Amino acid sequence: MNTAAKGAALAREKLAQAKADAARRGQLPRTEPRRRSPGQRRDAGDPQPFGQAIRDLLAARGWERPVAVGGVFGRWREIVGPDLAAHTRPETFEDGEVVVAADSTAWATQVRLLAATLVRRLNEELGDGTVKRVKVRGPGAGPRQGGLRVRGGGGPGDTYG
């Protein structure tokens, strides 16, 4: 699967997750009609540009932020750069906190050092104050590779524990 397809799939997954979260919180789509801005009015049967129809739908359902977050997750490589994206991936966004998984402790440390810059960059994409914190998750503890073993050693697998 190519990068664009992975990004689109991730964006769809995040949108579905946001819809389910909103339903659990009781935040159902708006039922009252949206007010139109003054000016030229359209008949209900008039066609409208596709982009505008999508924006109206997202606004009516209250999905603007979840869709924006899914878009950022889908464009992670473009936003953070190819080097960082090759070793990290965003996992969740909730209550202003983005959880980023790193594939080694070295990359987890690098992301922690770049956390303030990453928050600023993500807020450029999503709007000021949307992201307040980046939490970094290093690699999971799994079986070590190779022949050397230390009793009681239970490090993350990419360092000496």
Side-chain angles (χ1 to χ4, degrees):
M1 186 181 286
N2 66 26
T3 304
K6 287 180 186 176
L10 183 59
R12 279 192 298 277
E13 177 184 319
K14 293 300 173 185
L15 176 59
Q17 179 184 3
K19 287 179 187 178
D21 291 344
R24 273 197 308 273
R25 290 190 307 266
Q27 294 176 334
L28 300 175
R30 296 182 208 173
T31 55
E32 71 277 359
R34 290 180 36 128
R35 292 186 181 168
R36 289 186 128 351
S37 59
Q40 187 176 7
R41 296 193 157 243
R42 293 181 183 264
D43 277 343
D46 284 349
Q48 61 179 342
F50 182 72
Q52 185 61 46
I54 294 297
R55 285 189 292 277
D56 288 349
L57 174 67
L58 294 177
R61 303 289 173 128
W63 295 338
E64 293 104 332
R65 181 168 286 172
V67 168
V69 170
V72 166
F73 280 22
R75 294 181 303 113
W76 184 250
R77 182 178 182 86
E78 296 170 32
I79 293 169
V80 302
D83 293 335
L84 192 59
H87 299 281
T88 63
R89 71 179 184 287
E91 288 194 328
T92 61
F93 174 79
E94 192 171 326
D95 298 328
E97 180 179 86
V98 174
V99 176
V100 177
D103 63 5
S104 72
T105 55
W107 279 102
T109 300
Q110 183 69 19
V111 174
R112 285 183 188 103
L113 293 172
L114 294 170
T117 304
L118 194 53
V119 167
R120 181 185 51 76
R121 180 67 182 100
L122 291 171
N123 280 328
E124 286 173 6
E125 294 287 327
L126 298 169
D128 280 339
T130 303
V131 177
K132 295 175 179 65
R133 181 172 179 233
V134 171
K135 182 177 179 180
V136 183
R137 193 176 58 76
R144 291 183 178 258
Q145 303 291 321
L148 298 177
R149 298 284 187 259
V150 176
R151 287 186 185 217
D158 65 338
T159 64
Y160 287 102

